[in-house]
Coordinates of all heavy atoms in Angstrom, one line a residue:
I195 N -7.4 -0.2 51.1 CA -7.3 -1.3 52.0 C -6.1 -1.0 53.0 O -6.2 -1.5 54.2 CB -7.0 -2.6 51.3 CG1 -7.1 -3.8 52.3 CG2 -5.7 -2.6 50.6 CD1 -7.1 -5.1 51.6
N196 N -5.1 -0.3 52.6 CA -4.0 0.0 53.6 C -4.6 0.9 54.7 O -4.1 0.7 55.9 CB -2.9 0.8 52.8 CG -2.2 0.0 51.8 OD1 -2.1 -1.2 51.9 ND2 -1.9 0.6 50.7
M197 N -5.5 1.7 54.5 CA -6.1 2.6 55.5 C -6.9 1.7 56.5 O -6.7 1.9 57.7 CB -7.0 3.6 54.9 CG -7.7 4.5 55.9 SD -8.8 5.7 55.1 CE -9.9 4.6 54.2
W198 N -7.6 0.7 56.0 CA -8.3 -0.1 56.9 C -7.4 -1.1 57.7 O -7.7 -1.4 58.9 CB -9.4 -0.9 56.2 CG -10.6 -0.1 55.8 CD1 -10.8 0.5 54.6 CD2 -11.6 0.4 56.7 NE1 -12.0 1.2 54.7 CE2 -12.5 1.2 55.9 CE3 -11.9 0.2 58.0 CZ2 -13.6 1.8 56.5 CZ3 -13.0 0.8 58.6 CH2 -13.8 1.6 57.8
V199 N -6.4 -1.5 57.1 CA -5.4 -2.4 57.8 C -4.8 -1.5 58.9 O -4.5 -2.0 60.0 CB -4.3 -2.9 56.8 CG1 -3.2 -3.6 57.6 CG2 -5.0 -3.9 55.9
H200 N -4.5 -0.3 58.7 CA -3.9 0.6 59.7 C -4.9 0.8 60.8 O -4.5 0.8 62.0 CB -3.5 1.9 59.1 CG -3.0 2.9 60.0 ND1 -1.7 2.8 60.6 CD2 -3.5 4.1 60.5 CE1 -1.4 3.8 61.4 NE2 -2.5 4.6 61.4
R201 N -6.2 0.9 60.5 CA -7.2 1.1 61.5 C -7.3 -0.2 62.4 O -7.5 -0.1 63.6 CB -8.6 1.4 60.9 CG -8.6 2.8 60.3 CD -9.9 3.1 59.6 NE -10.0 4.5 59.1 CZ -10.9 5.0 58.3 NH1 -11.9 4.2 57.9 NH2 -10.9 6.2 58.0
M202 N -7.2 -1.4 61.7 CA -7.2 -2.6 62.5 C -6.0 -2.7 63.4 O -6.2 -3.2 64.6 CB -7.3 -3.8 61.5 CG -8.6 -3.9 60.7 SD -8.5 -5.2 59.5 CE -8.5 -6.6 60.5
E203 N -4.9 -2.2 63.0 CA -3.7 -2.2 63.9 C -4.0 -1.3 65.1 O -3.5 -1.6 66.2 CB -2.5 -1.7 63.1 CG -2.0 -2.7 62.0 CD -0.9 -2.2 61.2 OE1 -0.6 -1.0 61.4 OE2 -0.4 -3.0 60.4
N204 N -4.7 -0.2 64.9 CA -5.0 0.7 66.0 C -5.9 0.0 67.0 O -5.8 0.2 68.2 CB -5.7 2.0 65.4 CG -4.7 2.9 64.7 OD1 -3.5 2.9 65.0 ND2 -5.2 3.8 63.9
I205 N -6.9 -0.8 66.4 CA -7.8 -1.5 67.3 C -7.0 -2.5 68.2 O -7.3 -2.6 69.4 CB -8.9 -2.2 66.5 CG1 -9.8 -1.2 65.8 CG2 -9.7 -3.1 67.4 CD1 -10.8 -1.8 64.9
L206 N -6.1 -3.2 67.6 CA -5.2 -4.1 68.4 C -4.4 -3.3 69.5 O -4.3 -3.8 70.6 CB -4.3 -4.9 67.5 CG -5.0 -5.9 66.5 CD1 -4.0 -6.5 65.7 CD2 -5.8 -6.9 67.3
Q207 N -4.0 -2.2 69.1 CA -3.2 -1.4 70.1 C -4.1 -0.9 71.2 O -3.7 -0.9 72.4 CB -2.5 -0.2 69.3 CG -1.7 0.7 70.2 CD -1.0 1.8 69.5 OE1 -1.2 2.0 68.3 NE2 -0.2 2.6 70.1
W208 N -5.3 -0.5 70.9 CA -6.2 -0.1 71.9 C -6.6 -1.2 72.9 O -6.7 -1.0 74.1 CB -7.5 0.5 71.3 CG -7.3 1.8 70.5 CD1 -6.3 2.7 70.7 CD2 -8.1 2.3 69.5 NE1 -6.4 3.7 69.8 CE2 -7.5 3.5 69.1 CE3 -9.3 1.8 68.9 CZ2 -8.1 4.3 68.1 CZ3 -9.8 2.6 67.8 CH2 -9.2 3.8 67.5
Q209 N -6.7 -2.4 72.3 CA -7.0 -3.6 73.1 C -5.9 -3.8 74.1 O -6.1 -4.2 75.3 CB -7.3 -4.8 72.3 CG -8.6 -4.8 71.5 CD -8.8 -5.9 70.6 OE1 -7.9 -6.5 70.1 NE2 -10.1 -6.3 70.4
Q210 N -4.6 -3.7 73.6 CA -3.5 -3.9 74.5 C -3.4 -2.9 75.6 O -3.1 -3.2 76.8 CB -2.2 -3.9 73.7 CG -2.0 -5.0 72.7 CD -0.8 -4.9 71.9 OE1 -0.1 -3.9 72.0 NE2 -0.6 -5.9 71.1
Q211 N -3.8 -1.6 75.3 CA -3.8 -0.6 76.3 C -4.9 -0.8 77.4 O -4.7 -0.6 78.5 CB -4.0 0.8 75.6 CG -2.9 1.2 74.8 CD -3.2 2.5 74.0 OE1 -4.3 3.1 74.1 NE2 -2.2 3.1 73.3
L212 N -6.0 -1.3 76.9 CA -7.1 -1.6 77.9 C -6.7 -2.8 78.8 O -7.1 -2.9 79.9 CB -8.4 -1.9 77.1 CG -9.0 -0.7 76.4 CD1 -10.3 -1.1 75.6 CD2 -9.4 0.4 77.4
D213 N -6.1 -3.8 78.2 CA -5.6 -5.0 79.0 C -4.6 -4.6 80.0 O -4.5 -5.3 81.0 CB -5.1 -6.1 78.0 CG -6.2 -6.7 77.1 OD1 -7.4 -6.6 77.5 OD2 -5.8 -7.2 76.1
S214 N -3.8 -3.6 79.8 CA -2.8 -3.2 80.7 C -3.3 -2.2 81.8 O -2.4 -1.7 82.6 CB -1.6 -2.6 79.9 OG -2.0 -1.4 79.3

Side-chain angles (χ1 to χ4, degrees):
I195 189 171
N196 295 324
M197 178 178 62
W198 284 103
V199 171
H200 180 71
R201 289 174 177 175
M202 293 175 67
E203 293 175 353
N204 287 339
I205 294 174
L206 294 177
Q207 183 179 0
W208 293 337
Q209 288 177 331
Q210 293 176 357
Q211 293 176 355
L212 293 175
D213 292 335
S214 61

